[in-house]
Amino acid sequence: MKRLGLGVVVVLLVSACTKSLLTHFPHRQHLAELACGGPGQPDCLSCASCHQGATALDGGVEVATGAWHPPRVESCTSCHQDAPQTFSRSIRPAIATTPAGKAIVFAHDPHLAMPAIKGQCVTCHAGAVGVTGGAPLFPPMETCLSCHEHRRQFDSGTCTTCHRENDLRGLRPVSFLSHDAAWTRRHGLIARSEPERCVSCHAQTSCDSCHDATRPMSAAVRNPEKLEAELVHRFDFLTQHAVETESQPGTCLTCHAQPDCDACHTARGVSPMNRGAVSPHPAGWASGSGAARNTHGPAARRNLLSCAACHDQGAASTCVRCHRVGGSGGSPHPAGWQGAAPTGAPECQACHGGAL
Amino acid sequence: MQACVAACGLVSGAGRAQQATWVDARATMTAQTFQQALLPGPAGVGAPLELALPVMTTAFLRFGAIDLPGAPDSVSGEVSAWGRLGPRDGWLGDGDVTTAFAQLRTGRWRLTAGRQVTLPGTSRYVRFDGVTAGARFGLMDVDVYAGFVALPRWNLPRGAWVLGFLGDALEDPRLREAQNRAGQLTAGARLGLRAGPVRALVGFHEQRDAVGLAVRALSADVHSQPLAWLSVGGRGTLDLTGLAQGGTKPTGVSEARLYADLTGLAFGTASVDYSFQNTALLLPQTSVLAAFGGGTWHEVGGELTAQLPFRLRLTGRGAGQVYEHGVPGGRALVRARWTPGLDGRWLVQGELQRTQTSMNGFHQVRLGARGRLLQQLSASIDTSLFLYDRPVLGVRESMTGVVSAEWAFWRQLRLLLSTTVMRTPYAALEVQGLARLVFEWEPVSAGGLP
């Protein structure tokens, strides 16, 4: 269950890293197709003509943003008489404010001064002069990783050098710890070995959104619209759960305590503990006189957990009434049992009372 | 506190001394109506249930980058809880605090105190009230934890269950057996190692209950991404107290897994995995049945996902199992998913699944779709047909359908209405209504995507 359960969490994450953000502004016309510099023509434009040297509010504090900032309407009025209307059509409000996850901690000026960049914004922001479906407006993280310094940070999983810690919950790693392939089924293994890594993006509440077995409603019931989430308990799981526990014994224990089974069966009146309840086992299950031909032994060896769901009441367990040394069911110990190791283990104490 | 973006290097964060304190919170309220038409148990044992209207609220709040003297941005934490109230033979209230911890992190050291979660060995998801202390030494991470198991409820007993069918909403806390946390102790430690693309971990976990030692396990995990497109890993858990394993050894491997994932390929992704479980060793050692031993099972599986043109994705998944005495089992799934639109606002999927065990098996045919009809309105439909090899209570099929519609009043407030209709071996007709009101307050992530 667990390996499928966190699918809900993964689906909830916004894959901001892979989004292609396109602006409505005709950058190409302004930068490359505009007749400029000649007699009677306007000055030629560069990126910095509109985007240079602004400040912005971050957390209520005015900070320098370097070269990048959303242009102001005054940038347009020198050429366009209808600038206010044109401006409002060209600038997408969601880009005018920094999109979630794109607010990286970044200084443009020293980057623009690097020889490889030569002051050209489009080296990274090729999408600004591109077309729909082309290069993204914001550079992919691989662009950043072409620098050795950032590659080292990336390999060590140090995200907060560039990303703000509180943005990480809205991002999804694309390559490092890629949440792809069988990630939903693997996430428990990864989370166990690198819990601190998970915490850098996920709250513990994220785990509980699927794994909290105390909630009365399952994640599938609470989220009927999440078709793509790999939730285990969809639809008529009441009927399937017996088959599912047989299919992959032990998987249920990922989230459920073993006594939960009997608690539920008792509450719903389908447990042998209920007065008047009829055994769910077929005739001859434990006697050999019916169709089942005393097959409870092999069934128990195959999935002992299913027996324990109802029959585990400590020393009073149904099984040990017969399966005890000297009992009609014979020794409970499996073939090859040597009993060589004296032990005070609780399961031994139940029958042997510490006499071993 | 001040957010500082200093232009003192190629990455200004390298010289950053402080972050702004941040808060992140979310609350969800779900109102459910439920009326079950019929629930016959085996051989006619009935469990009639009356109309119920439970209202449930979940909420969490987390925070970070709080300063202590001499330790800026060192304190963070999280609190989450749920509560439920609804009429059923009077008003029933219930609730739980699922997480409540604060973490102090300074330099290489970290200390977490309160209700928290750990992922140890065979007890794979443990919530406890206690303390975790950790530190990073170069390539190594060390964590030590101890506390009281939360059972999993803080004030009431275990006995919570999630089967996923609609009667979940009707769980009656008065039916549960009271539990005593005395003796429900847990403790453990883990050592993590990072070396190039390899991550490895060795963990020890012990858990006790009122009777005595329930779990003592040693586990090891390794995960590596040697190539950009390849991830491999594995894990194993050694039960240090189990009496099964043929009854000849006091220890045994309770579970083991190996896997390899191929990602970032031109056609899609692929993965293969192998898993092994000795189910008797997954029982707590306070269980008498743990002495009986049991059969082991092996599973080998794979998954292939192909990304086709027109935003069509095909997934195939299969796994074969071999139990003791060569008894076979298996699962297989084929799924087609189509997500037209740049932002995936439409989703259409079809799925065919087969599950086989020695006891029974079933086919599942599933069709579903979801779309954003208007800027504020989304709707979904999800249907499924199950065909059982052997009749369950004399019935060979289950038919289920779920429809939902969600209206986003504004970014922070959404209302979802859903109806589920089922015809199953346990109910001639089962109908559920779900009303879910979600209010999200996320002040630190207000930018959103265009």
Side-chain angles (χ1 to χ4, degrees), chain B residues 277-297:
Chain B
Q277 282 193 353
N278 187 339
T279 53
L281 292 179
L282 296 176
L283 281 170
Q285 301 311 305
T286 48
S287 162
V288 173
L289 300 187
F292 278 71
T296 60
W297 63 276

Side-chain angles (χ1 to χ4, degrees), chain A residues 160-183:
Chain A
T160 51
T161 306
C162 302
H163 293 284
R164 298 195 301 197
E165 187 173 358
N166 50 23
D167 279 339
L168 290 174
R169 189 164 68 87
L171 298 174
R172 178 181 175 182
V174 174
S175 51
F176 180 74
L177 283 179
S178 167
H179 288 18
D180 208 340
W183 175 260

Side-chain angles (χ1 to χ4, degrees), chain B residues 20 38 63 99 114 116 146-147 188 212 234 289 292 307 325 328 367 378 406 447 450:
Chain B
L38 179 65
F63 55 90
T99 303
Q116 54 194 298
L289 300 187
F292 278 71
Q307 187 65 54
H325 307 307
L367 294 172
S378 300
E406 185 174 44

Side-chain angles (χ1 to χ4, degrees), chain A residues 2 14 19 21 63 92 94 98-100 105-107 110-111 150 155-156 160-161 165-166 169 175-177 180-182 185-186 189-197 203-205 207-208 211-218 221-228 230 233-244 246-250 253-254 256 259-260 264 267-270 278 301-302 304-305 308 312 314-315 319-320 323 332 334-338 346-348 350, chain B residues 9-13 16 19 22 24 30 32 42 45 47 56 58 60 62 78 80 82 96 98-99 101 105 110 116-117 119-120 124-125 127 152-153 158-165 168 199 221 223 225 235 243 246-248 259 261 269 271-273 277 279 282-283 285 287-289 292-295 297 299 303 317 321 323-324 331 337 349 357-359 362 366 368-370 380 382 384 386 388 398 400 402 416 418 424-426 434 436 442 445 447-450:
Chain A
K2 178 181 175 182
V14 179
K19 291 284 184 183
L21 302 177
V63 295
R92 299 179 70 170
T98 306
V105 180
F106 188 84
H111 282 83
H150 299 317
D155 289 342
S156 67
T160 51
T161 306
E165 187 173 358
N166 50 23
R169 189 164 68 87
S175 51
F176 180 74
L177 283 179
D180 208 340
R185 289 188 285 149
R186 306 261 187 271
L189 306 183
I190 306 298
R192 192 172 6 248
S193 61
E194 298 188 88
E196 285 300 308
R197 182 90 59 215
Q204 279 193 7
T205 309
C207 313
D208 284 339
H211 292 293
D212 182 4
T214 70
R215 296 194 193 188
M217 283 190 292
S218 72
V221 173
R222 294 195 304 266
N223 302 288
E225 81 285 16
K226 299 199 178 305
L227 277 61
E228 66 274 55
E230 302 229 19
H233 302 117
R234 283 191 193 277
F235 305 120
D236 183 24
F237 192 75
L238 173 61
T239 302
Q240 284 113 41
H241 82 282
V243 181
E244 295 288 1
E246 173 104 353
S247 174
Q248 294 179 314
L253 288 182
T254 302
H256 300 282
D260 293 354
C264 187
R268 295 171 199 286
V270 293
V278 176
R301 286 194 57 76
R302 177 170 180 209
L304 186 63
L305 293 173
D312 199 6
C319 311
V320 294
H323 289 285
W337 177 262
Q338 297 174 350
E347 66 269 38
C348 304
Chain B
L10 291 181
V11 177
S12 55
R16 184 177 52 184
Q19 301 177 36
W22 56 269
D24 187 10
T30 303
Q32 189 180 35
V45 178
M56 184 171 170
T58 62
F60 83 87
R62 62 184 193 132
E78 183 177 326
S80 65
W82 63 266
D96 191 22
T98 51
T99 303
F101 68 86
R105 181 190 292 266
R110 55 182 181 268
Q116 54 194 298
V117 167
L119 300 171
R124 282 164 276 183
Y125 189 81
R127 178 181 292 125
R153 306 291 294 276
R158 77 175 86 194
W161 55 83
V162 180
L163 271 181
F165 57 97
D168 284 347
R199 265 76 175 166
D221 297 66
H223 172 82
Q225 190 172 1
R235 76 176 307 262
L243 292 174
T248 57
Y259 64 87
D261 293 341
T269 64
S271 67
V272 292
D273 52 56
Q277 282 193 353
T279 53
L282 296 176
L283 281 170
Q285 301 311 305
S287 162
V288 173
L289 300 187
F292 278 71
W297 63 276
E299 180 180 278
E303 179 178 308
R317 182 186 303 162
Q321 299 150 346
Y323 299 96
E324 202 173 39
R331 313 169 67 86
R337 181 176 290 166
Q349 71 176 17
T357 70
S358 63
M359 182 182 75
F362 61 86
R366 181 185 177 195
R370 186 187 64 215
S380 73
D382 201 0
S384 205
F386 297 90
Y388 305 108
S398 295
T400 65
V402 187
L416 178 140
S418 169
T424 75
Y426 291 93
L434 175 72
R436 188 189 70 195
E442 297 183 292
S445 299
L449 289 170

Side-chain angles (χ1 to χ4, degrees), chain B residues 17-62:
Chain B
Q18 292 183 314
Q19 301 177 36
T21 297
W22 56 269
V23 177
D24 187 10
R26 176 179 296 178
T28 305
M29 187 171 70
T30 303
Q32 189 180 35
T33 60
F34 181 75
Q35 177 66 70
Q36 202 162 29
L38 179 65
L39 180 61
V45 178
L49 299 167
E50 67 273 28
L51 177 68
L53 299 160
V55 177
M56 184 171 170
T57 297
T58 62
F60 83 87
L61 180 146
R62 62 184 193 132

